[in-house]
Every structure is written in C-alpha cells, then in structure tokens.
Amino acid sequence: MNGIIPLIVALFAVGVVLYLSYLFSRYLAVGAAKISKSKYIKIIDRVVLGQDRLLLIAMIGDKHYLIGSSAQSIQILTEIEGTDMFEHSKR
C-alpha cells in the first residue's frame, strides 16, 4: 500500500502535464493561424510536383495567378482568367 500512493500521484502528474501540453499546442495553433492569415492574398489550390516543387493558384485582389515554386525560386507563370479556371473543374 505504501508504494501505490506515489504511483497514483505520478500518474496524475503525467496526466496533468499531457493535458497542459494539449492546451498549449492548441493555443499555439490558433496564434499561428492568425499570423499566417493574409488580408489580400489567398492560396486557392496547390499541387506538389516533387520534394521541393509546387504549383500554386493564388488570388491576389480579384485576379488569379499560377505560381511555380521551388527551393531556388518562385515565379508567376501566368495570370488565369476567371472563366478558364472553372471550365476545367466542370469536366
């Protein structure tokens, strides 16, 4: 009986630490979402082409752009007209 009480206290302490870690991680996630939220630029879609290569569709203001991204550079490939983008998604 003498060894059970410290075991129960230790298990309770581990549970409290796990719960506080969970709350802190949620707090950090909400803070990161607020920081990364942009008022004028939104990423509409992204496609991973390789380990460090992406194609992105970004909406800046009311225009859409196709952007290529790699470890070395980021380039605007073309401006997408609004009707062009939605014709492919209806197929």
Side-chain angles (χ1 to χ4, degrees), residues 2 5-6 12 30 33 44 48 53 65 67 82 87 90:
N2 211 9
I5 293 175
F12 180 73
V30 169
I44 304 300
V48 177
R53 301 180 197 286
Y65 296 95
I67 300 172
E87 285 178 14
K90 291 180 181 177

Side-chain angles (χ1 to χ4, degrees), residues 41-49 52-60 63-70 73-80 85:
I41 301 173
K42 292 186 180 184
I43 301 298
I44 304 300
D45 201 4
R46 72 183 78 208
V47 176
V48 177
L49 300 176
D52 62 347
R53 301 180 197 286
L54 295 169
L55 276 179
L56 305 160
I57 297 176
M59 186 172 75
I60 302 172
K63 296 183 179 183
H64 293 84
Y65 296 95
L66 181 64
I67 300 172
S69 172
S70 70
S73 68
I74 298 173
Q75 294 180 343
I76 295 178
L77 302 174
T78 187
E79 181 177 345
I80 301 171
M85 186 169 53

